[in-house]
Amino acid sequence: MAARSLSSPCTTTILLSSGRWRRTMRAAAFPFRVSCSAAAARGTVVIGLAADSGCGKTTFVRRLTSVLGAGTAAAAPPWGGNPGSNTLVVGDAATVICLDDYHSLDRAGRKERGVTALDPRANDFDLMYRQLKAIKEGRAVAKPIYNHATGLLDPPELITPPKILVVEGLHPMYDERVRGLLDFSIYLDISSDIKFAWKIQRDMAERGHSLESIKASIEARKPDFDAYIDPQKQYADAVIEVLPTRLIAAAAADDDEGKVLRVKLIMKEGVEHFAPAYLFDEGSTISWIPCGRKLSCSYPGIKLSYFPDTYLGHEVSVLEMDGKFDKLDELIYVESHLSNLSTKYYGEVTQQMLKHADFPGSNNGTGLFQTIVGLKIRDLYEQVVAERVASPPALAAVA
Ligand SMILES: Nc1ncnc2c1ncn2[C@@H]1O[C@H](COP(=O)(O)OP(=O)(O)O)[C@@H](O)[C@H]1O
Ligand SMILES: O=C(COP(=O)(O)O)[C@H](O)[C@H](O)COP(=O)(O)O
């Protein structure tokens, strides 16, 4: 079959995964010569998104790819790919890979050994590191696929270096070497009761699991979550923490099944290319109830806060929103009091939120802060590229 070039100008070698895949690759091969774009040759910017299962990674990724891929094709699986692929390609702007693809044990293997998917022994961090490093340096890789439908490891798929690579999953910040490749990292910290409500609703509705089996799986995973997933938040540049509301008395809030949320955007100070967003006055401590003539609020209202704090030993700025919006278009009133949003035009946050009003969390701080983080990531990428254009890396670094 004739070789096809995906794009020009630079041809790369493919970094294969294990010997097992090497054999599969020879048989199936990829019917094209692999190339990378000039932007990728300058180095891919790598973003890590960590959270436990059912904590909203997929939902965040949908908002993020909308911001990053504006004006390009909608996110789609790789060209000619495996239907079991977990990868999303957003034109040449961004690619999102799921780190579940680096499970070294399939579902049966985990069962046999009595380990969960959260246990590092069920994951191949050496391969994860080698392949992410290769992509960051502008080389394509043949990444394995973990098929969530079958629980098996499928033949690999080709990942060419995008401008922005988002790696989402359970462990993007667990391995020191992988962590060192991240240009920016986010952790979604969802308090237990809310996480359980989200996961139960998703796994029953979309995955056909029974309530009992979901509860059993949550219990079985808890020790590994505490040991291997939760500690990653100390490394995150931004943490989105989702907590029960403080606007309603605890008992009444429980009855409401966590429908009103208090959400914190915890932003590390001193991170290169990342200037934390703020409310009214940078560095000050503010508490603001915006409800009134310009913002409609039904019970229990909305409270926004902004303050400096320390988080796991780091200086941070925190934006907090408790409550929910009644009318999303009125969010512009709140947006106009926020600064350092990295928007390209007035009202871009509100426009993004309106565009995806049907996504979960669009009426509260989860959607608002995910959108803001998405804009900050776009801005970080643009700053990195501007710097590289001004001072290109040595050719040896990307060869
Ligand atoms: N901000 C949110 N508010 C309410 N429900 C949410 C929110 N984010 C996610 N969910 C729900 O939680 C479930 C899991 O979300 P998902 O994005 O699939 O998580 P993950 O990819 O981390 O497993 C989905 O059913 C989704 O609707
Ligand atoms: O923890 C996760 C990630 O899931 P999510 O996509 O919810 O973050 C899954 O349990 C494992 O990857 C195993 O998958 P399975 O249980 O399907 O074999």
Side-chain angles (χ1 to χ4, degrees), residues 53-54 57 100 103 107 110 117 146 148 170 202 207 221:
S53 174
K57 297 185 294 294
D100 291 354
H103 286 336
R107 199 174 287 158
R110 293 197 297 270
Y146 175 73
H148 283 92
L170 298 167
R202 195 251 333 244
R207 300 187 177 178
R221 291 164 64 111

Side-chain angles (χ1 to χ4, degrees), residues 35-109:
S35 304
C36 63
S37 65
R42 284 201 293 267
T44 292
V45 169
V46 186
I47 309 294
L49 171 61
D52 194 9
S53 174
C55 286
K57 297 185 294 294
T58 308
T59 310
F60 189 144
V61 159
R62 289 168 77 199
R63 287 190 199 278
L64 178 60
T65 52
S66 167
V67 170
L68 300 180
T72 67
W79 178 83
N82 180 326
S85 171
N86 301 306
T87 302
L88 281 179
V89 177
V90 192
D92 73 343
T95 294
V96 184
I97 63 174
C98 173
L99 296 181
D100 291 354
D101 288 335
Y102 292 100
H103 286 336
S104 50
L105 295 175
D106 62 12
R107 199 174 287 158

